[in-house]
Amino acid sequence: MKTTKSIILFCLLSWGVTWSGFAQGNSQYVNPIIGSGGHGHVFVGANVPFSAVQLGPNNVPQGWDWCSGYHYSDHVIMGFSHNHLSGTGCADLGDIMLMPYSGKLRTSQGRDIIPGVSASSSFSHKNEKVTPGYYRVLLDNGVNVELTTTERVGMHRYTYNGTGESRLLIDLENGLGRGYESYIRLIDETTIEGYRFIHGWAPTHKIFFYAKLSKPVKTLDTFLGDQPVGKSSELQGHNVKAVATFDTGVRDVIVKVAISSVSISNAKMNMEAELPDWDFDQTHQAAVEKWDKALGVIDIDATPKQKIIFYTALYHTMIAPNLYCDVNGEFRGIDGKIHTDNHFVNYTTFSLWDTYRALHPLYTLILTDRIPDMVNAMLSIYDQNGKLPIWPLYSGETNCMPGYSSVPVIADAYLKGFKGFDAERALLYMVSTGTNEQQAGIDHFMKYGYIPAEKIGEATSKNLEYAADDMGTALMAKQMGKTDIYQQFLKRALSYQLFFDKSILKCRPKMADGSWYEPYDPFLANHRDHVGDFTEGNGWQYTFMVPQDPDGLIALHGDDEAFIKNLDELFVAEGDFGEGAPPDISGLVGQYAHGNEPVHHVPYMYAYAGAQWKTAERVRMLQEKFYTDQPDGYCGNEDCGQMSAWHILSALGFYQVNPSNGIFVFGSPLYKRATINLPGGKKFVINAPANSEKNIYIHSAKLNGKKYSKAFITYDDIMRGGALTLQMTAKPNKKFGLSKNDRPVSAK
C-alpha cells in the first residue's frame, strides 16, 4: 500500500502531466484565483465562456464574502456544485452539490471536521489548481477531485485514496438559496436523476439534473437532511440528500451531470448532445480551446505580470451572462412558463446596474456575434414580465439596484448598427419600462419631473440612474425619427440638473416642495433620518454620476476650471461616511470609490473639460493601485465582469463614458502594443512604443498614419480596423485635447 505522501506526490505529478500543454493561447495567463480573496467574490472552478454550468467548490458560507460560494481565506470544502455567481454582492445558486469521501456513511456538513462524522473536508491551496476550464484539488480526506465542463454538463473525475468504501454524497438540500423541494431517483446502477427548487435572491428558480456514473452504484442511502430514510431508489422532500456507495475496491470514478431549467428529460438531452463519451482529458482540452479562442479577441505586448492581470480580467468578463437555454433552445421564463420555439440563444445573470457602464460597451468591440442574442433575451424578459430586466437571475427578477439598466445596453447596440432584433419593439419596450409606475419612483418622477427625497428610499440615486438610462431611449428615438419620444426622454435625461446645488457644487437630495433636503452632509453614505439617500455611495460620488451629459455638468459648474477643481477635490477629500455605511464603498482615493461602479466613468470626465492629461494621471494611478495578480486583486465586488471591463478598456487606452453614444475617451494605455482582433479578419492596433511606468501621458496621436488631435475615438473608427499610434511622454502635453473641437462631447 502506498504511503499518503507517495499518493499525494503521484497525484500532483499525474495532474501536472494531464494539465501541461493544454493551454496554448492566452488562457495560459489566466489565474482565476485573482479576486477570490478580499471582497472580489469571483467564481472559482471550471466552466467555458458564458456557460450554463459553473462547476466548482463550495465552502461553508460565513458571510458576505462567500457570495460566490468560495473565498480564498477558507480551508473547508463541503462539496462541488454546478452553478455559481461571480463577483456579486448577493448570494444565490450553488445547486446540485456532490462531495466524494471514503469510509463511514455520513452526510453532515460544516466547518468542524470530525473524522467519521463530517462529510466536509479540509484542504490546502498547495494542493489546488485552477485554470480556465479546469479545477483540481487533493482533499485532505484523500480524494483527488478534478472538474471540467461543457456548456451544460459538468464532468467530475475522482480518485479515492482513503480507506474504506468509496462514496459520493449528492446534496440537494444545501446551496446559497433555500431549497423548498427536491427529488432524487436511481434509475439504474449508473444513472441518477432529480431536481432542486429554490427560493433565493432570485425569488424562485428550478434546476433539474441527469447524472451518469462510470462505475455502478452498489447501494443508494437516502436522507432528509441528515436523518436517514434508508436504502431507497427514490426520495422527495425539501431537504433530500443521498449517498451512493461503490463496490469495494473502486478507486476511480467519473461522474457527468447535465442541468436544465426545464426538465430532467431536457437535462438528459443536453448530456447526449454535448458529452456522450467519458474522455475527461479530451473534454478538458476542448474547454481550454474554447477559452483560447474567446481570449484571443485581444493580444497585448506586455510583461508576464501584466498579461496575467489582463487576461484574468478578460476571463472574468466571460463568466456571465450565462447561457440559459437547453440545446433545443427551451428555457423556463420569469413567468414560470416553458418557452419553446425560440429563435435566439437565451442568457441570464445580467448584472446590469454594474455592467451597462463598461462590460456591454466592451462586448460591442469583442463579442459582436453575441450582442443580438443578449438583446433578444432582454426583450423576451419584457414579454414574460411586463418590463425590461433590472437584475434577472434564472427564472426570477431580483429587482436589485436602481435604474432599468438594460435600456442603455439596448440603445447602444442599436446606435452602433447591430441587427438581429426588432428595433421598433425594443423602443416600445424601453418607453413602456420608463413609464411603468410599478417601477420604483417612476410615479413620482413623472409627477414632479424628479424623485423627491421623502417619497422613496434612495430617491436621488434612482433618479440619476433613470436619467442616464433615459438618454439611451432619447438617442435611439432620435435616430429612429420619433421626435416626441426623443423630447420626452431628453428632458428626463437632463433631470440630474435639478439636484445640483450650485452653492456647494454638489448633488443634493431635493424635497417635493422644491427645497433642498436639510441638514445635508455630502460625505454621509447613509442618511438614516430620512429615506432619500444614495445607493452605495454619497453626495460626493453621485455629483458626477452623469455619464450621459458631462458637458451639461460642466456648464452647471460655471466653467471648465471650476469643474476640474471640483473633480480634483473628489480624489483628495476626506470625510466620514457615517455609521452603517455599506461595505461596497471601497477602493477609495479621497471620495472616489473604485470598488463600486457609479464612479467608474469619472476619471475620464476631465477630457470633457479639456484636461485629458489629468484623465491619464488618474487612470494610470487607479490601474496600478487597484488591479494586482494576488487573490485580493480587486478592490471591490467584481460584479459579473464590470470591474474587469474597466481594466481592459482602460488598459487599451480608452473608455466609453456615455453608455449609449459610441465615443471612447482616451486615458493612458498600459502597453506598448495591443491588438483587437475584429470580425472579418480586421484588426485595430493601439501602438504606444514609448509607453512606460513614467511615460503615462499622450503627447500626440496618429490614426492610420495621419495626425489625430482628438482626445477620443469613435466606435466606427475602431471597427473599421486600422492603427492608432500614441506618442507617450513623462510630462503632460496640456494642449492635447484642449481645443473645444478636440474634446469628447455629450450626444443630445
Side-chain angles (χ1 to χ4, degrees):
M1 182 176 177
K2 296 180 180 178
T3 65
T4 302
K5 184 176 180 180
S6 299
I7 291 169
I8 292 173
L9 179 60
F10 173 78
C11 291
L12 288 171
L13 291 173
S14 298
W15 165 77
V17 172
T18 299
W19 182 78
S20 177
F22 274 17
Q24 299 295 322
N26 291 332
S27 67
Q28 66 186 298
Y29 302 109
V30 174
N31 179 6
I33 292 296
I34 295 173
S36 65
H39 302 313
H41 298 186
V42 301
F43 162 67
V44 172
N47 65 333
V48 295
F50 303 102
S51 54
V53 167
Q54 306 86 42
L55 176 56
N58 277 39
N59 305 137
V60 180
Q62 297 184 75
W64 186 57
D65 281 328
W66 278 256
C67 284
S68 72
Y70 175 100
H71 193 265
Y72 192 75
S73 65
D74 211 323
H75 295 282
V76 174
I77 288 175
M78 60 188 295
F80 303 89
S81 57
H82 290 77
N83 55 5
H84 291 83
L85 292 167
S86 184
T88 60
C90 293
D92 206 339
L93 308 185
D95 302 320
I96 318 300
M97 187 159 60
L98 275 56
M99 183 62 180
Y101 65 87
S102 303
K104 184 179 177 181
L105 184 68
R106 54 197 188 272
T107 61
S108 176
Q109 291 156 307
R111 296 202 55 74
D112 297 327
I113 308 301
I114 303 173
V117 176
S118 174
S120 301
S121 176
S122 57
F123 75 104
S124 168
H125 292 304
K126 294 185 302 181
N127 296 327
E128 185 182 45
K129 184 71 176 181
V130 55
T131 58
Y134 180 81
Y135 177 88
R136 175 229 173 243
V137 64
L138 178 60
L139 298 170
D140 290 345
N141 70 9
V143 183
N144 188 64
V145 177
E146 295 176 278
L147 310 174
T148 191
T149 79
T150 65
E151 282 73 13
R152 299 170 179 87
V153 187
M155 196 173 201
H156 309 236
R157 181 162 66 182
Y158 304 139
T159 303
Y160 293 84
N161 298 301
T163 58
E165 293 178 296
S166 300
R167 305 185 192 270
L168 178 61
L169 169 63
I170 303 170
D171 185 349
L172 305 181
E173 176 187 22
N174 288 299
L176 294 170
R178 178 174 57 84
Y180 67 89
E181 185 178 335
S182 52
Y183 170 77
I184 195 165
R185 183 166 76 101
L186 180 66
I187 301 173
D188 58 44
E189 61 183 8
T190 60
T191 310
I192 298 173
E193 65 182 20
Y195 59 73
R196 183 173 192 251
F197 298 167
I198 306 98
H199 293 313
W201 182 28
T204 299
H205 74 270
K206 298 181 178 182
I207 182 166
F208 300 85
F209 74 93
Y210 180 83
K212 295 290 291 183
L213 296 86
S214 63
K215 299 293 172 64
V217 175
K218 182 174 66 174
T219 59
L220 186 74
D221 289 86
T222 57
F223 300 78
L224 290 175
D226 296 323
Q227 297 301 311
V229 174
K231 290 178 170 53
S232 171
S233 63
E234 187 173 21
L235 184 63
Q236 185 177 26
H238 75 275
N239 56 347
V240 169
K241 295 182 181 181
V243 177
T245 301
F246 301 101
D247 287 329
T248 302
V250 168
R251 289 292 179 261
D252 299 296
V253 178
I254 293 177
V255 184
K256 301 185 295 183
V257 181
I259 64 171
S260 167
S261 69
V262 174
S263 65
I264 291 172
S265 60
N266 271 28
K268 178 181 179 182
M269 173 184 62
N270 290 339
M271 182 182 293
E272 291 172 344
E274 290 187 0
L275 194 54
D277 57 42
W278 292 92
D279 192 328
F280 183 95
D281 290 338
Q282 181 178 325
T283 306
H284 174 199
Q285 176 70 60
V288 172
E289 290 172 358
K290 290 172 184 176
W291 277 114
D292 276 339
K293 181 179 179 181
L295 299 173
V297 292
I298 302 175
D299 293 309
I300 60 173
D301 179 6
T303 66
K305 181 177 178 179
Q306 286 177 322
K307 287 185 176 183
I308 289 169
I309 295 170
F310 183 87
Y311 286 111
T312 300
L314 191 57
Y315 164 84
H316 281 139
T317 68
M318 299 181 186
I319 295 176
N322 301 127
L323 188 68
Y324 187 62
C325 60
D326 297 324
V327 292
N328 62 358
E330 295 179 351
F331 63 90
R332 184 180 302 273
I334 288 175
D335 55 5
K337 299 176 181 177
I338 306 304
H339 291 258
T340 61
D341 194 28
N342 300 299
H343 301 288
F344 63 95
V345 177
N346 194 44
Y347 290 90
T348 187
T349 321
F350 286 107
S351 183
L352 290 161
W353 182 80
D354 309 289
T355 58
Y356 85 86
R357 306 168 198 271
L359 182 68
H360 287 281
L362 174 65
Y363 286 166
T364 66
L365 295 173
I366 65 172
L367 293 170
T368 55
D369 58 326
R370 293 185 188 262
I371 300 297
D373 285 328
M374 289 186 183
V375 172
N376 280 314
M378 295 177 193
L379 300 182
S380 175
I381 288 173
Y382 181 99
D383 293 333
Q384 303 162 37
N385 200 36
K387 65 179 182 180
L388 288 170
I390 296 172
W391 213 122
L393 179 60
Y394 281 47
S395 56
E397 171 58 78
T398 69
N399 287 306
C400 189
M401 310 311 295
Y404 27 78
S405 301
S406 51
V407 165
V409 175
I410 296 168
D412 193 43
Y414 173 79
L415 293 167
K416 287 175 176 172
F418 283 90
K419 309 297 182 184
F421 62 92
D422 185 338
E424 292 284 348
R425 172 172 161 241
L427 183 62
L428 175 66
Y429 289 2
M430 291 159 70
V431 171
S432 175
T433 299
T435 55
N436 184 344
E437 294 191 6
Q438 300 303 309
Q439 177 83 11
I442 291 297
D443 52 346
H444 304 302
F445 195 10
M446 296 177 69
K447 178 179 178 180
Y448 295 95
Y450 65 97
I451 305 178
E454 73 269 34
K455 296 296 184 180
I456 191 170
E458 303 178 355
T460 310
S461 291
K462 287 182 170 68
N463 198 136
L464 293 174
E465 288 291 346
Y466 290 151
D469 301 339
D470 288 341
M471 185 64 84
T473 302
L475 294 176
M476 185 167 167
K478 182 180 182 181
Q479 183 72 19
M480 296 173 69
K482 314 282 188 181
T483 304
D484 291 346
I485 297 174
Y486 166 66
Q487 294 292 347
Q488 175 189 3
F489 280 85
L490 178 63
K491 181 179 180 181
R492 291 164 53 124
L494 301 180
S495 64
Y496 74 90
Q497 298 172 354
L498 301 173
F499 295 98
F500 190 79
D501 184 348
K502 293 184 180 181
S503 69
I504 59 173
L505 299 182
K506 298 292 178 291
C507 170
R508 185 172 186 173
K510 179 168 282 191
M511 309 299 283
D513 64 3
S515 64
W516 296 118
Y517 170 76
E518 293 285 359
Y520 177 59
D521 181 351
F523 285 99
L524 289 181
N526 270 1
H527 300 284
R528 287 172 163 253
D529 55 344
H530 80 110
V531 295
D533 60 359
F534 302 97
T535 303
E536 298 179 3
N538 63 14
W540 267 101
Q541 292 146 17
Y542 274 93
T543 292
F544 301 97
M545 219 317 282
V546 189
Q548 77 277 19
D549 190 29
D551 295 335
L553 184 59
I554 292 169
L556 288 176
H557 281 74
D559 55 34
D560 294 340
E561 289 71 23
F563 176 77
I564 291 171
K565 182 176 183 294
N566 202 22
L567 196 50
D568 281 343
E569 289 176 355
L570 172 74
F571 287 92
V572 296
E574 297 293 340
D576 187 354
F577 289 153
E579 184 182 356
D584 304 81
I585 309 175
S586 59
L588 288 169
V589 180
Q591 291 301 293
Y592 177 88
H594 194 73
N596 214 20
E597 281 69 21
V599 296
H600 275 188
H601 65 285
V602 170
Y604 289 88
M605 297 181 91
Y606 284 108
Y608 289 82
Q612 191 282 329
W613 64 276
K614 280 184 171 285
T615 287
E617 280 185 351
R618 298 297 188 198
V619 169
R620 186 63 75 97
M621 174 270 294
L622 293 169
Q623 291 276 37
E624 293 173 354
K625 186 177 181 67
F626 293 129
Y627 293 89
T628 77
D629 61 352
Q630 298 303 303
D632 62 350
Y634 291 109
C635 60
N637 301 165
E638 204 276 335
D639 283 312
C640 296
Q642 169 61 25
M643 198 71 70
S644 294
W646 189 95
H647 169 71
I648 292 161
L649 288 171
S650 296
L652 294 175
F654 43 63
Y655 188 91
Q656 183 173 306
V657 173
N658 183 330
S660 302
N661 78 341
I663 300 297
F664 290 82
V665 180
F666 289 160
S668 178
L670 282 185
Y671 317 123
K672 295 180 184 296
R673 181 182 176 92
T675 302
I676 304 174
N677 298 307
L678 301 169
K682 293 186 291 185
K683 297 178 183 293
F684 186 78
V685 182
I686 303 102
N687 287 310
N691 203 346
S692 68
E693 291 183 2
K694 293 182 178 180
N695 293 347
I696 68 172
Y697 300 102
I698 301 174
H699 182 271
S700 61
K702 289 183 179 180
L703 182 61
N704 299 325
K706 297 180 180 180
K707 183 179 179 180
Y708 190 80
S709 59
K710 300 184 185 301
F712 64 91
I713 190 169
T714 68
Y715 175 78
D716 289 341
D717 278 339
I718 295 172
M719 299 307 288
R720 275 191 285 266
L724 174 68
T725 301
L726 303 173
Q727 182 184 352
M728 307 298 292
T729 57
K731 293 183 178 181
N733 174 10
K734 296 181 181 181
K735 293 183 179 180
F736 181 74
L738 177 62
S739 167
K740 294 282 188 181
N741 293 330
D742 291 333
R743 302 179 189 182
V745 294
S746 306
K748 295 192 185 74

